[in-house]
Amino acid sequence: MLQDVLDHFQIEELNEGSWIGSDSVQSSTSLIEVYSPVDGSQMASIKPTDKKAYQTIVEELKKASEVWRNIPAPKRGEIVRLFGEKLRKEKNHLGKLISYEMGKSIQEAYGEVQEMIDICDFAVGLSRQLYGLTMHSERPMHRMYEQWHPLGVIGIISAFNFPTAVWSWNSTIAWVCGNVCIWKGSEKTPLTALVCQKLIASILQERGLPQAISCLITGGKEVGEWLSLDKDIALVSATGSSRMGKAVKLNVAQRFGKSLLELGGNNAMIITPNADLGIAIPATYFGAIGTSGQRCTSTRRLIVHQSVLDSVIDKLKSAYAQVKIGNPLDANNHMGPLIDNEAVQNYMAGIEACKKQGGTFIVEGGMLQVPGFEKGSYVSPSIALVNADMAIVQDELFAPLLYIIAYNELKEAIEIQNNVPQGLSSTIMTTNMREAEYFLSHCGSDCGIANVNIGTSGAEIGGAFGGEKETGGGRESGSDAWKNYMRRQTVTINYSADLPLSQGIQFKV
Ligand code: UN1
């Protein structure tokens, strides 16, 4: 499968990890081995970016920035429009590559490419709408307004679970705002990153634009550190664990740079006595086992009213009995593998910890051998009944283990929901307007995303995406998240022949 996809994308330099547009940059000779979680076969050996290559790339970025920011925003939007067109054509092949390299189901992989197409469309429209406000001055014959300028070079650190969509949320918007981008993709999914880099680079080349408008680097923690410590990187947008995000934020802050963080989630769904279980059960099913529980928006905690607890458990048990696990490229399967064996071990340790703390397993999953795919990192999902005060519920276990917690009063359910360090996504399942509105009020969910009668995952690109507390506080994607990629300038113009001072101050010579 892989070979025809790689042939299709004409990827020959499988081991190059450092790119300025379509030009590779010589880098270290050490190699990162990449294996598919689907069948354990080796996909590539990639050279991580070394310091010298990094510096070469940053110099080119600075030069490209001079050209790109002088191109009118709607013309920059045209480049993003062409990228969206390209993605439409490549959806099938790119989806397959994402599925094979990352392990998510083919349906979800196509969804990821669609998310990229959607954000391109959004960014194109935005390229004609980078609006600033005008204000009325307190002084006569004065005009005040604000305008937005590009930041310069944007660093993007993305995670394996959405190997391309989260990059595109950042890059497409950053580009229309007049910035150039350097992307450190996940070292677990370098081929998908390389293909996306090639796609945008081909457009830049066709249009005779500087290749460094889009650059790609590869590597681990150290490479991320270069970005966060580098004063030439105006904004570092990082997606990943809260631990990683904290390190990035501290490094960026000590040089007064800007950071945009999209970190861990520990998302809950509240099921009230007034919930329509015909919606709540499939929403839980997708939220908990979609992407094998490896979305930052995955449903991790189900907070269920006592009166419907038995019925929810019965229905979930029968839904989980039907889960199809196996080759994610087979569209009949709901669940592919976890990203690697380390993730499998982590999941097994999570199950053990849950048992130790007194959790009762309703569905007990574990390691799974899929016939014909024995070397893949497959697991089956779990559901455990737990108490809100157990330590395990405070952590984001990046795997398909769903905790169920019972409650009696809605206020208590919301307290349970909010009483974790993370604050990304949340949802309430109810047909009762009072319950829904209370959940959405300032006394309700403390998360960046609050839903009614849909799951915790699967946000649309049109809204601002991100969360509070240890999720990092950033907002990416839609709404006015573009403002993160620009600097605001307040302008006051005096067109009178006098110099009146603000606040009525008299200061005559
Ligand atoms: C992530 O898991 O990092 O809302 C992003 C969702 C997707 C994006 C998830 N649109 O589930």
Side-chain angles (χ1 to χ4, degrees):
M1 189 301 293
L2 178 68
Q3 200 50 50
D4 65 290
V5 171
L6 292 178
D7 289 347
H8 170 82
F9 287 118
Q10 299 178 323
I11 300 289
E12 284 135 19
E13 301 124 308
L14 265 182
N15 52 7
E16 294 298 345
S18 315
W19 295 83
I20 297 171
S22 57
D23 304 326
S24 61
V25 183
Q26 284 299 311
S27 209
S28 65
T29 47
S30 66
L31 292 169
I32 300 175
E33 309 291 342
V34 189
Y35 300 93
S36 165
V38 174
D39 56 11
S41 59
Q42 182 160 7
M43 296 179 73
S45 305
I46 299 269
K47 288 186 213 157
T49 305
D50 63 18
K51 194 67 197 267
K52 195 163 158 270
Y54 172 77
Q55 280 161 345
T56 306
I57 293 172
V58 171
E59 286 314 308
E60 289 305 312
L61 279 156
K62 288 197 277 185
K63 282 186 229 157
S65 169
E66 298 292 319
V67 177
W68 185 240
R69 69 182 187 193
N70 283 311
I71 294 173
K75 297 270 184 292
R76 299 192 294 250
E78 168 66 4
I79 300 302
V80 173
R81 189 186 69 77
L82 293 170
F83 184 45
E85 287 297 299
K86 190 141 262 182
L87 289 169
R88 280 182 170 85
K89 280 198 205 100
E90 302 296 351
K91 185 171 176 179
N92 183 32
H93 284 97
L94 183 55
K96 282 183 181 160
L97 181 62
I98 292 173
S99 179
Y100 190 65
E101 189 175 42
M102 184 275 158
K104 65 174 69 174
S105 74
I106 188 70
Q107 292 303 333
E108 291 185 79
Y110 289 145
E112 175 154 8
V113 183
Q114 188 57 47
E115 196 159 341
M116 298 174 77
I117 296 168
D118 294 345
I119 197 74
C120 284
D121 287 356
F122 183 89
V124 175
L126 192 62
S127 71
R128 290 181 186 268
Q129 299 175 75
L130 301 170
Y131 301 140
L133 297 172
T134 63
M135 297 89 186
H136 285 261
S137 171
E138 65 191 46
R139 287 168 278 186
M141 302 177 92
H142 281 56
R143 186 164 76 83
M144 278 177 84
Y145 74 101
E146 59 189 21
Q147 56 179 349
W148 296 85
H149 293 309
L151 288 176
V153 183
I154 310 294
I156 303 165
I157 299 175
S158 65
F160 75 86
N161 64 334
F162 272 79
T164 59
V166 173
W167 163 71
S168 69
W169 293 353
N170 284 280
S171 59
T172 57
I173 305 243
W175 284 324
V176 297
C177 290
N179 304 290
V180 297
C181 297
I182 174 168
W183 176 22
K184 187 189 102 56
S186 167
E187 66 272 34
K188 294 178 182 178
T189 51
L191 291 184
T192 307
L194 178 52
V195 164
C196 288
Q197 170 70 10
K198 289 261 179 186
L199 294 180
I200 182 68
S202 67
I203 295 165
L204 297 174
Q205 210 160 28
E206 278 161 26
R207 292 293 169 121
L209 288 164
Q211 290 286 293
I213 289 167
S214 180
C215 295
L216 176 67
I217 54 176
T218 308
K221 203 172 143 216
E222 192 193 25
V223 177
E225 226 162 61
W226 296 338
L227 283 173
S228 60
L229 290 169
D230 190 343
K231 61 171 182 30
D232 285 329
I233 312 296
L235 168 75
V236 180
S237 174
T239 304
S241 67
S242 296
R243 213 180 55 183
M244 177 279 290
K246 190 174 183 178
V248 167
K249 184 165 184 143
L250 292 174
N251 281 339
V252 175
Q254 55 96 7
R255 62 175 174 87
F256 291 101
K258 292 180 198 283
S259 53
L260 180 53
L261 303 176
E262 203 261 279
L263 312 173
N266 188 353
N267 318 296
M269 177 188 295
I270 297 174
I271 301 186
T272 83
N274 300 302
D276 176 348
L277 294 188
I279 295 177
I281 301 299
T284 307
Y285 187 71
F286 180 70
I289 71 172
T291 325
S292 303
Q294 299 171 109
R295 288 191 189 212
C296 57
T297 50
S298 291
T299 309
R300 314 232 169 259
R301 298 174 296 141
L302 205 59
I303 305 169
V304 185
H305 193 265
Q306 281 286 1
S307 64
V308 286
L309 185 62
D310 290 345
S311 155
V312 166
I313 288 176
D314 283 351
K315 287 184 196 311
L316 276 178
K317 259 188 184 167
S318 53
Y320 271 54
Q322 289 160 43
V323 58
K324 294 198 187 78
I325 306 161
N327 179 10
L329 287 146
D330 177 345
N332 291 314
N333 288 327
H334 303 117
M335 227 179 114
L338 290 179
I339 184 67
D340 54 21
N341 287 330
E342 199 185 321
V344 174
Q345 295 312 323
N346 212 22
Y347 177 48
M348 298 312 291
I351 292 175
E352 279 318 302
C354 181
K355 281 185 188 163
K356 233 188 190 154
Q357 290 179 30
T360 313
F361 277 78
I362 291 159
V363 177
E364 187 172 343
M367 284 198 260
L368 193 73
Q369 287 276 309
V370 173
F373 295 85
E374 284 78 6
K375 291 205 173 127
S377 32
Y378 295 88
V379 297
S380 54
S382 303
I383 305 176
L385 196 57
V386 305
N387 290 327
D389 55 9
M390 290 178 187
I392 41 162
V393 300
Q394 297 293 312
D395 294 327
E396 178 191 42
L397 182 72
F398 225 52
L401 169 52
L402 177 68
Y403 301 128
I404 298 188
I405 302 164
Y407 81 90
N408 290 303
E409 298 293 330
L410 183 58
K411 204 162 170 267
E412 176 200 355
I414 290 171
E415 263 167 33
I416 294 170
Q417 184 208 265
N418 291 346
N419 189 25
V420 291
Q422 311 83 353
L424 179 56
S425 183
S426 59
T427 193
I428 189 166
M429 289 289 168
T430 182
T431 53
N432 179 300
M433 187 259 256
R434 289 180 186 163
E435 287 180 334
E437 291 291 340
Y438 185 70
F439 173 79
L440 299 173
S441 77
H442 62 272
C443 303
S445 166
D446 67 357
C447 294
I449 297 171
N451 296 330
V452 178
N453 293 331
I454 62 162
T456 57
S457 64
E460 300 176 19
I461 59 94
F465 183 94
E468 302 300 326
K469 302 188 288 185
E470 290 187 12
T471 303
R475 293 295 186 279
E476 295 175 355
S477 186
S479 184
D480 64 351
W482 62 270
K483 290 178 177 170
N484 288 306
Y485 305 86
M486 302 199 88
R487 64 185 167 85
R488 185 196 313 242
Q489 188 167 64
T490 303
V491 179
T492 308
I493 300 166
N494 175 8
Y495 60 95
S496 76
D498 294 323
L499 188 69
L501 298 177
S502 58
Q503 293 90 45
I505 293 172
Q506 297 297 323
F507 212 78
K508 293 260 158 58
V509 205

